[in-house]
Amino acid sequence: MKQRGLIPRKVKGFRDIDPALNEQRNRLVQVASKVYRSYGFEHWDSPILEYAECLGKYLPDQDTADEGVYSFRNPELEPILDMKGNGLRDSSNNVLMDNHLLSLRYDLTAPLARKYAEELWTGSGQTKSPTLFRRYQYGPVYRFEAKLDPGRYREFWQMDFDTVGSSDVASDAEACCILSDTLEALGLARGSYEIRVNTRNLHKGLFEKLGISDEGVARDVLRVIDKYDKIGEAGIAAELGEGRVDPLSKAKIPGLGMPLDQVQTLVNYVQSCIGVQGRENVLARLAPLLGDTPTGRFGLDELQRIHEILNGLDYLDNRVVFDPSIARGLAYYTGPVFEAVSKLEYRDASGKVRGFGAICGGGRYDGLVEKLLGIKVPATGASIGVDRLLELLRQTQQLEIAATGPVLILVMDQQYMLEYQKFAKELRQAGIAAEVYYGQKSKMKAQMSYADQRQAPVVVIAGGNEFEQGTVSVKDLRRGKELSDQITDRSQWLSDKPAQMEVPRADLVATVKGMLSD
RNA sequence: GCCGCCUUAGCUCAGUUGGCAAGAGCACCUGACUGUGGAUCAGGGGGUCAUUGGUUCAAAUCCAAUAGGCGGUACCA
């Protein structure tokens, strides 16, 4: 029995990212950045760590990481501040200190609100007047998820763009255009995805009509309606009323226990306006249902305006649709909300057909800065779920996975090490990635295997023979691989030295370059 | 959280109704005229059959608990 030390293991929900995935992610981020920039957004970053209290309402009550946020105590003692930003003092006039609770950011919007609020904060209890701010940002965010589905992690990337300081619905319409542009720039075919738009004001209008004023009940109802495409009308009716048992999983889903007439009204609403083709048709169906409530009317106007702008810019029904069932982040969206879904499907390892779900989400959040400063600052924006979108692009083979390795310089003899380093330097100066072999196994076969495994396109070989002749041997591994298919005899394989040439030392860079460009 | 299924070498799995010394493929390592990746051939290492407890003359195989995984479902800023 072997003695072993600690067991190496990775934290659940976190991943190691290999070169291929990194490559793909960089490409995605670059393409999206270009689109965002073209709309005038500038690139900002913010820290991964924030004071828990600044991140908003989803905070753990204790020191533990629960409620979805990773938190811990700052090792540094810092003053406890009052509402004016001054340190609190005890009766003997000493400033009260605390190890403040810090949290890993769970999205990029809350830190944006913090940054923006900080700019407006003057320290004298007053605030500057809100200015227009448009930024994009990408990077990892952290959520403590109890259950991890495939493709769902505790550390994952988001890529956001936001417009802070505008209440104009045009900026919401613009967000939809940006999402559409970005997805298409990434190679998603028009028609293979859909931006779905709704506004919270329609829901508010609906509840006004139903006489539901309880925030919690409203939220429960929306949660159910949001599941329309999953469980259908009957499912919705059941979950609003008595509850149901999911036939597949046999899981009991408790109902909301609403009175029958309310259930009926809601089902009518769902029936008449969900799954309706064409934005204008959706509006036409909604008008008689909600037009008589002030908030509903307002919501209808919002959608109408968005529709006009989208239409005028040629973002038609095959790109952006209205879907009154979608709810999204109930806790903080206040107006239009949108999400992007892919209609593509793929077969997983067991041959099962699967979809991808939402790959982008966003909406208007006019209350976020208010929580920090007490003043209302309108804002809207959206976020790409980078990892999920990457998975989509990979599964549908719209991204090449190949990451090519460097040119490898074999170490045939330690006495020429300086020369090998010079080879590498010359290649690098010509813009070619080059690596000198530093492995433990000095046999040439082992070095070749390493080159193969690293996906090196070319190998440079120079031993005593070459140095005597003033030459180097350069081997094209990619070509060699093709040729190897035709060779079955080992001695022939060895003697032919396929795709290999010996050239004057001075021609090294040019020769390698030539092989790489084929 | 709830329901169901699963857990045998690094990976994918086989192991018959409990019974002969725990297997295969791939991967890995070594070698095949010693300076050449592939293919082929010949060898080789590697498993407390998830863990713990129980039933039995006998358990990878039956039972229980625990852990981890998968599939639904719920939640999801």
Side-chain angles (χ1 to χ4, degrees), chain A residues 20-33:
Chain A
L21 189 53
N22 265 325
E23 189 73 20
Q24 294 167 7
R25 184 197 268 162
N26 288 343
R27 228 179 298 172
L28 188 157
V29 162
Q30 259 161 32
V31 168
S33 293

Side-chain angles (χ1 to χ4, degrees), chain A residues 188-363:
Chain A
L188 294 203
R190 191 166 299 177
S192 76
Y193 70 91
E194 202 170 70
I195 316 285
R196 298 177 177 163
V197 181
N198 189 20
T199 170
R200 297 271 287 117
N201 290 313
L202 290 184
H203 291 148
K204 285 183 201 158
L206 182 64
F207 293 124
E208 273 172 29
K209 198 161 180 167
L210 284 167
I212 295 173
S213 54
D214 187 298
E215 191 85 11
V217 175
R219 196 176 292 187
D220 289 339
V221 172
L222 288 179
R223 199 173 289 147
V224 173
I225 292 180
D226 193 43
K227 286 160 73 176
Y228 174 77
D229 50 350
K230 235 180 186 176
I231 60 177
E233 276 162 33
I236 285 182
E239 290 200 23
L240 290 173
E242 295 303 303
R244 68 188 181 92
V245 174
D246 188 78
L248 239 168
S249 66
K250 290 175 200 157
K252 275 180 205 154
I253 298 153
L256 301 180
M258 299 184 79
L260 247 107
D261 56 322
Q262 284 194 339
V263 172
Q264 199 49 53
T265 311
L266 283 165
V267 170
N268 281 347
Y269 169 77
V270 169
Q271 267 177 338
S272 58
C273 63
I274 292 178
V276 176
Q277 299 293 310
R279 296 194 294 246
E280 276 172 12
N281 295 332
V282 176
L283 290 174
R285 297 282 196 101
L286 285 170
L289 284 167
L290 298 171
D292 55 343
T293 66
T295 318
R297 184 70 254 163
F298 185 79
L300 282 169
D301 290 344
E302 283 179 319
L303 289 188
Q304 179 64 40
R305 184 89 185 101
I306 289 174
H307 171 62
E308 283 163 12
I309 290 171
L310 292 177
N311 247 17
L313 295 175
D314 231 24
Y315 291 80
L316 306 178
D317 285 309
N318 57 353
R319 297 211 254 181
V320 185
V321 302
F322 288 160
D323 180 346
S325 74
I326 72 166
R328 301 207 66 83
L330 301 164
Y332 77 64
Y333 288 124
T334 54
V337 290
F338 17 88
E339 66 184 27
V341 295
S342 168
K343 298 188 200 165
L344 298 175
E345 293 174 330
Y346 70 101
R347 286 179 186 281
D348 67 9
S350 61
K352 203 167 173 181
V353 176
R354 298 175 157 281
F356 290 95
I359 45 184
C360 307

